[in-house]
Amino acid sequence: MKRKKPIVTGTLQQKADRYYLVFRIPDSSGKLKQKWISTGLPVKGNQRRAKQLLDAKLVELQADYDRRSRQAGWSVAEVGEVPFDEVVRRWMTRKRSEVAPSTFEGYEHITARLLPYFRKLDLTMDEISPTVLESYCEFLSDAGLSANTVQHHLTLIRSVFNDEIRNGAPILNPVKCVKAPRVETFQGETLSVEQIGQLFRLFEGDPIEDIVHIGVIYGLRRSEILGLRWEDINRETNTLHIRHKVAEVRINGKRQLIRSNNLKTEASRRAFPLSSDIRQRLEHRQARIAQNQASNRWYSQSDAAYIFVDANGKLLSPEYVTDHFRWKIAHSDLPKVRFHDLRHTCATLLLHEGCSLREIQSYLGHASYLTTTRYAHVDARSKEHALEIMSAALMTGENN
């Protein structure tokens, strides 16, 4: 028998000499939930107007219910019988408009492996068991993927199931019972003070010289550095503000720059005092930009708000910074560090010089204290300092 389409119903109710709209709206399982909405209209002389509001709101609520039902794509009671790869594709369709482009690009990398694998198995949602998922983890590990990457795959699958469960689907999330590969804590490469001096000499006169200096001194993310605008520099207070970012993602097969005020976390929105060196560098950069504008008739003004533009006025791309930095490092005697390792270096040097982890957390803009402990791993000298403090305390106790 064909299931009847759930209908939103509504009536007019009088309460405290006012008209109220009372609706019964089906939830994802078909159960009716009541919703009261005040019209603000007195009962006397307003019945016709109240009825018009009721009819208009009924149309709106029914359309909203139908839209949500179409997004789900099936009755929640039947979702367990739907092929898993189809559920993932529909989940991706919804997420495209819900998450940042850079996040969605990460999802695409994961599903490029996930969808072909499960399409071949032809399993429904009900047939995705912990054993099936553990076999998938082994498949990924055998393909050379790291434990961290395998965890990202499981996180996406967990989200797919959780979304259906929140929508009322009578299914369990098998990811909870999966024995996932152990994730090793990532330790980024760092440079010593002497190596930083060598790094600065290596990039002297280079197009990204100032970017490298800012990366080391402030430990900024690449997207934060390229997102710096002239309005973010307050010369009166001698302050540099982090409140904008530039990221690069692939959309429909093409690389595109995404400019946004939505930083990675709210803690990323922070300010720094300008060092004399960085202030001088910015002043020289501004002068060079003025020279380029005057001498280059093809100079573009479209990115004039940004600090880090090329000789033609175009904003430097994150990919260019990464690739150029890697090339310069590869042709030097320095350790093979990535650009992001400048952030690790900054954190480690701050810790080495006596800054607390809480101070470093604020400096780097970490939302979580645990993230800071991963970036700023304690070095040998820090342990020696701790041992000196402990030894001194014990000696004092013995003397007493």
Side-chain angles (χ1 to χ4, degrees):
M1 180 184 294
K2 187 176 181 181
R3 184 178 301 173
K4 290 184 179 179
K5 177 183 175 182
I7 300 294
V8 179
T9 59
T11 58
L12 282 179
Q13 296 287 343
Q14 298 179 18
K15 186 178 180 181
D17 200 33
R18 289 286 189 274
Y19 274 120
Y20 286 80
L21 311 180
V22 183
F23 299 98
R24 291 173 178 80
I25 305 170
D27 63 14
S28 56
S29 64
K31 192 174 181 179
L32 296 178
K33 292 188 176 181
Q34 198 173 80
K35 181 176 183 178
W36 283 65
I37 300 177
S38 173
T39 66
L41 297 174
V43 171
K44 187 174 181 180
N46 285 300
Q47 184 176 10
R48 183 177 177 183
R49 175 61 180 150
K51 184 65 170 62
Q52 290 174 336
L53 292 176
L54 175 66
D55 292 341
K57 194 65 179 176
L58 270 173
V59 171
E60 178 186 331
L61 291 175
Q62 183 66 51
D64 181 64
Y65 180 85
D66 291 343
R67 177 185 59 78
R68 286 186 282 110
S69 297
R70 285 194 300 273
Q71 284 181 338
W74 48 74
S75 165
V76 293
E78 300 167 353
V79 72
E81 304 169 12
V82 178
F84 175 63
D85 63 293
E86 183 179 342
V87 178
V88 173
R89 284 197 299 272
R90 298 196 186 204
W91 180 87
M92 286 286 286
T93 300
R94 292 197 302 273
K95 290 299 177 182
R96 183 182 289 276
S97 60
E98 295 176 2
V99 300
S102 56
T103 302
F104 189 77
E105 184 182 23
Y107 293 163
E108 288 184 316
H109 282 301
I110 292 173
T111 54
R113 287 183 182 269
L114 185 149
L115 288 174
Y117 179 91
F118 284 100
R119 191 179 299 119
K120 288 180 181 178
L121 296 180
D122 193 25
L123 299 175
T124 65
M125 289 285 281
D126 280 341
E127 293 172 324
I128 301 297
S129 66
T131 303
V132 168
L133 293 178
E134 285 173 5
S135 296
Y136 179 56
C137 291
E138 289 180 15
F139 163 77
L140 296 175
S141 297
D142 291 343
L145 273 65
S146 68
N148 280 353
T149 303
V150 174
Q151 283 282 18
H152 290 324
H153 281 246
L154 287 176
T155 299
L156 185 146
I157 295 171
R158 181 187 294 111
S159 182
V160 170
F161 274 90
N162 283 344
D163 275 13
E164 297 305 326
I165 292 169
R166 277 192 293 269
N167 195 38
I171 55 176
L172 297 175
N173 195 327
V175 181
K176 292 181 179 180
C177 303
V178 172
K179 186 177 180 181
R182 184 178 178 181
V183 176
E184 295 182 4
T185 302
F186 176 75
Q187 296 283 6
E189 293 288 340
T190 60
L191 299 175
S192 66
V193 173
E194 292 75 18
Q195 289 170 330
I196 291 173
Q198 187 180 346
L199 177 78
F200 287 165
R201 289 190 294 274
L202 175 66
F203 281 90
E204 192 170 337
D206 190 88
I208 67 168
E209 177 184 1
D210 296 340
I211 292 176
V212 169
H213 277 256
I214 288 178
V216 171
I217 293 171
Y218 294 118
L220 299 186
R221 301 175 179 95
R222 181 187 60 178
S223 60
E224 294 171 342
I225 298 176
L226 295 178
L228 288 173
R229 301 158 300 181
W230 293 111
E231 66 184 66
D232 298 322
I233 308 300
N234 189 324
R235 287 185 170 84
E236 291 183 5
T237 60
N238 204 46
T239 307
L240 179 153
H241 293 270
I242 309 302
R243 48 196 177 194
H244 187 74
K245 70 177 182 181
V246 172
E248 194 166 14
V249 299
R250 189 177 298 277
I251 300 177
N252 297 325
K254 295 182 179 179
R255 304 294 300 185
Q256 294 187 26
L257 292 183
I258 302 296
R259 307 148 194 256
S260 173
N261 293 327
N262 296 322
L263 302 184
K264 186 172 183 180
T265 67
E266 194 54 39
S268 301
R269 201 173 300 279
R270 58 207 191 278
F272 296 92
L274 273 176
S275 71
S276 57
D277 173 64
I278 296 301
R279 179 173 180 133
Q280 190 175 50
R281 286 179 176 279
L282 293 177
E283 289 171 352
H284 288 167
R285 173 166 286 274
Q286 199 163 32
R288 285 200 304 273
I289 288 175
Q291 275 184 330
N292 290 335
Q293 287 175 329
S295 61
N296 186 351
R297 59 180 298 191
W298 306 112
Y299 192 90
S300 172
Q301 297 293 338
S302 59
D303 296 323
Y306 291 91
I307 293 175
F308 294 109
V309 295
D310 63 19
N312 295 314
K314 299 298 293 182
L315 180 61
L316 295 180
S317 74
E319 187 173 358
Y320 166 75
V321 171
T322 297
D323 291 346
H324 186 70
F325 183 86
R326 184 189 297 118
W327 184 86
K328 291 280 287 189
I329 292 295
H331 291 79
S332 75
D333 296 328
L334 286 167
K336 299 303 181 278
V337 292
R338 308 163 305 159
F339 183 82
H340 193 73
D341 289 330
L342 301 185
R343 184 166 165 83
H344 296 292
T345 295
C346 174
T348 304
L349 286 179
L350 289 173
L351 181 68
H352 182 79
E353 294 302 316
C355 285
S356 70
L357 289 178
R358 290 295 182 190
E359 289 174 316
I360 297 170
Q361 177 187 359
S362 175
Y363 195 87
L364 295 182
H366 289 153
S368 168
Y369 177 75
L370 293 176
T371 303
T372 309
T373 63
R374 290 202 304 269
Y375 271 95
H377 46 281
V378 180
D379 60 6
R381 278 192 55 182
S382 297
K383 290 179 181 176
E384 289 172 6
H385 182 236
L387 179 60
E388 289 172 6
I389 293 174
M390 179 62 72
S391 299
L394 292 175
M395 287 292 292
T396 302
E398 288 180 359
N399 293 334
N400 290 337

